[in-house]
């Protein structure tokens, strides 16, 4: 950052602000855990699973140790017998690819829609080959994509759908909440998420009792009872009592904090009107504004100007999965995905931003014109 700037630095995130706001709630939650004597799979864990299931409008929620674990377990459970491949988007940070490969499956990619930046019925239809058993739909940046037709298309072909709601918890359409459309859904409670813990955590949600039972077994070694392994592919992946208590305390705040996120992005959209930066809108209950993402063909220049005005930025995500050396993916032609990877940048967007900081970002955006 230019040290001669007269603007106060605006961080991409500051977790200490939410902790300060919630200190009394968090202290009470942790005290309840200490008083109970339970540290794993106890009353806070059970209460949170029930509360989140009610919030999402699903029958079952299973807490696990991380969002990536949730994806891995959901993919394992969803994959139909005899199929070997997961279809995903390549623009969502590599989490679905990592999970699918850990689960033992191949991964292929479909391009994303130019407007939503998510997979759609139109973008996946040509990619649904006979070996694909699971499609992972990531509701990118907080946007619950229009998923109904996509699920119907997959089910017609015997393919199951896993929703990745790590960025979209609380998003809703008239038909239901993010996480209630697919055969299974997953979420992450990493501290920067809209519903964040004080460490790692995740969950799998489903309306299918058999799937829920299998995920519950797999998260604890595949046990049918203590020390008796009944199914292969198990893991040690449990949501601990302290994180469950923190999440249970914070869940009632989620809708209001999502509203604040939408309002922040609306200010950026207005400030960017007519300029070189296209800030993606987050309008309506289907979008919970997890990230404030903008597109520009002049990304390096724009990031430099914003930094001079005291505004932090980041890139979500700079390298598509099919171009990651470590994934060693087969060649793909994904023009929208590749274009967005070269143009996207993220602006500060978290509920504890002050109005003054938001104004600083808006002034910096206007200075780009």
């Amino acid at each position: 950052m230019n040290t001669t700037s007269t603007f106060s630095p605006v961080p991409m995130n500051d977790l200490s602000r939410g902790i300060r706001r919630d200190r009394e709630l968090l202290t009470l939650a942790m005290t309840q855990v200490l008083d109970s004597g339970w540290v794993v799979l106890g009353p806070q864990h059970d209460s949170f699973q029930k509360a989140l299931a009610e919030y999402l409008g699903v029958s079952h929620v299973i807490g696990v140790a991380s969002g990536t674990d949730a994806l891995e377990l959901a993919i394992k459970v969803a994959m139909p017998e005899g199929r070997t491949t997961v279809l995903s988007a390549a623009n969502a940070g590599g989490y679905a690819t990592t999970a699918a490969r850990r689960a033992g499956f191949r991964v292929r990619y479909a391009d994303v829609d130019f407007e939503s930046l998510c997979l759609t019925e139109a973008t996946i239809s040509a990619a649904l080959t006979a070996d694909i058993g699971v499609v992972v739909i990531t509701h990118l940046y907080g946007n619950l994509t229009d998923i109904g037709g996509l699920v119907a298309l997959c089910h017609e072909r015997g393919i199951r759908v896993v929703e990745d709601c790590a960025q979209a918890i609380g998003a809703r359409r008239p038909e239901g909440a993010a996480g209630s459309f697919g055969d299974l859904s997953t979420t992450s409670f990493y501290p920067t998420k809209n519903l964040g813990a004080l460490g790692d955590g995740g969950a799998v949600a489903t309306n299918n009792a058999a799937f829920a039972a299998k995920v519950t077994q797999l998260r604890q070694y595949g046990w049918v009872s203590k020390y008796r392994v009944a199914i292969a592919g198990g893991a040690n992946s449990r949501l601990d009592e302290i994180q469950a208590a923190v999440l249970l305390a914070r869940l009632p705040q989620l809708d209001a904090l999502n509203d604040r996120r939408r309002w922040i992005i609306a200010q950026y959209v207005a400030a960017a009107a007519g300029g070189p930066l296209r800030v993606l809108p987050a309008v309506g209950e289907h979008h919970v504004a997890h990230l404030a993402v903008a597109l520009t063909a002049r990304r390096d220049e724009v990031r430099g100007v914003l930094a001079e005005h005291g505004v932090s930025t980041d890139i979500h995500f700079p390298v598509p999965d099919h171009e990651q050396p470590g994934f060693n993916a087969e060649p793909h032609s994904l023009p929208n995905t590749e274009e967005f990877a070269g143009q996207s940048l993220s602006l500060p967007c978290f509920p504890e931003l002050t109005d003054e900081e938001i104004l600083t970002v808006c002034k910096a955006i206007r200075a780009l014109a």
Side-chain angles (χ1 to χ4, degrees):
M1 188 182 72
N2 188 330
T3 56
T4 63
S5 172
T6 60
F7 293 85
S8 300
V10 181
M12 276 299 296
N13 211 323
D14 182 354
L15 296 174
S16 68
R17 300 184 191 185
I19 292 171
R20 284 197 299 271
R21 181 197 61 223
D22 297 340
R23 187 177 184 87
E24 186 175 340
L25 285 173
L26 299 178
T27 300
L28 176 59
M30 292 182 183
T31 299
Q32 290 172 338
V33 173
L34 295 174
D35 289 345
S36 75
W38 284 89
V39 292
V40 175
L41 299 181
Q44 296 289 333
H45 169 273
D46 292 348
S47 294
F48 175 65
Q49 288 188 150
K50 292 175 184 175
L52 185 58
E54 182 178 349
Y55 178 82
L56 297 177
V58 299
S59 302
H60 308 278
V61 164
I62 305 98
V64 296
S66 72
T68 306
D69 281 2
L71 277 167
E72 179 184 350
L73 296 177
I75 290 168
K76 283 180 178 177
V77 168
M79 184 63 73
E81 187 73 26
R83 304 211 186 180
T84 59
T85 305
V86 174
L87 184 71
S88 179
N91 67 333
Y95 308 111
T97 298
T98 298
R101 293 201 168 195
R102 277 174 37 180
F105 301 115
R106 297 176 60 209
V107 185
R108 287 208 302 275
Y109 306 100
D111 207 0
V112 294
D113 174 71
F114 188 81
E115 292 300 322
S116 71
L117 278 62
C118 297
L119 296 181
T120 65
E121 184 179 356
T123 69
I124 72 166
S125 58
L128 296 180
T129 53
D131 60 327
I132 291 172
V134 172
V135 173
V136 176
I137 303 301
T138 299
H139 301 306
L140 194 67
Y141 306 144
N143 178 25
L144 168 52
T145 191
D146 190 1
I147 192 173
L150 194 157
V151 171
L153 175 65
C154 289
H155 284 177
E156 287 170 4
R157 304 185 182 204
I159 298 168
R160 291 173 178 150
V161 175
V162 173
E163 293 178 75
D164 179 1
C165 305
Q167 300 185 19
I169 190 165
R172 297 181 181 277
R173 289 186 178 271
E175 302 86 355
S180 66
F181 294 91
D183 296 281
L184 299 104
S185 69
T186 68
T187 194
S188 167
F189 303 120
Y190 187 74
T192 58
K193 303 301 185 185
N194 292 40
L195 178 62
L198 297 183
D200 280 312
V204 178
T206 183
N207 283 310
N208 185 308
F211 288 166
K214 192 169 182 181
V215 172
T216 301
Q217 281 187 275
L218 288 174
R219 76 171 173 190
Q220 185 157 269
Y221 311 114
W223 284 356
V224 66
S225 60
K226 194 172 184 180
Y227 305 134
R228 295 180 64 87
V229 177
I231 54 176
N236 176 11
S237 183
R238 296 174 293 243
L239 180 67
D240 70 67
E241 279 291 278
I242 286 181
Q243 302 307 336
V246 167
L247 294 164
L248 185 61
R250 283 181 157 175
L251 181 59
Q253 304 175 346
L254 179 58
D255 289 343
L257 296 179
N258 285 345
D259 282 342
R260 172 71 173 174
R261 288 175 177 270
R262 292 186 192 98
W263 183 84
I264 291 168
I265 291 182
Q267 309 315 300
Y268 298 167
V269 170
L277 202 61
R278 174 193 166 203
V279 178
L280 303 182
V283 179
E285 289 190 349
H286 71 280
H287 203 312
V288 294
H290 173 63
L291 291 169
V293 174
L295 301 174
T296 177
R298 298 158 39 193
R299 183 166 67 190
D300 290 345
E301 175 191 344
V302 165
R303 293 188 77 192
V305 173
L306 294 173
E308 289 175 359
H309 286 77
V311 175
S312 303
T313 59
D314 205 341
I315 301 174
H316 296 92
F317 299 93
V319 183
D321 292 17
H322 67 296
E323 295 180 350
Q324 292 281 7
F327 290 152
N328 195 29
E330 62 190 64
H332 286 72
S333 176
L334 306 174
N336 288 347
T337 298
E338 291 158 13
E339 180 176 344
F340 295 141
Q343 294 189 1
S344 67
L345 64 91
S346 302
L347 300 163
C349 183
F350 58 100
E352 299 81 20
L353 280 171
T354 66
D355 289 353
E356 181 180 0
E357 288 172 326
I358 295 164
L359 181 60
T360 296
V361 178
C362 290
K363 288 180 178 177
I365 292 171
R366 294 189 185 99
L368 297 169

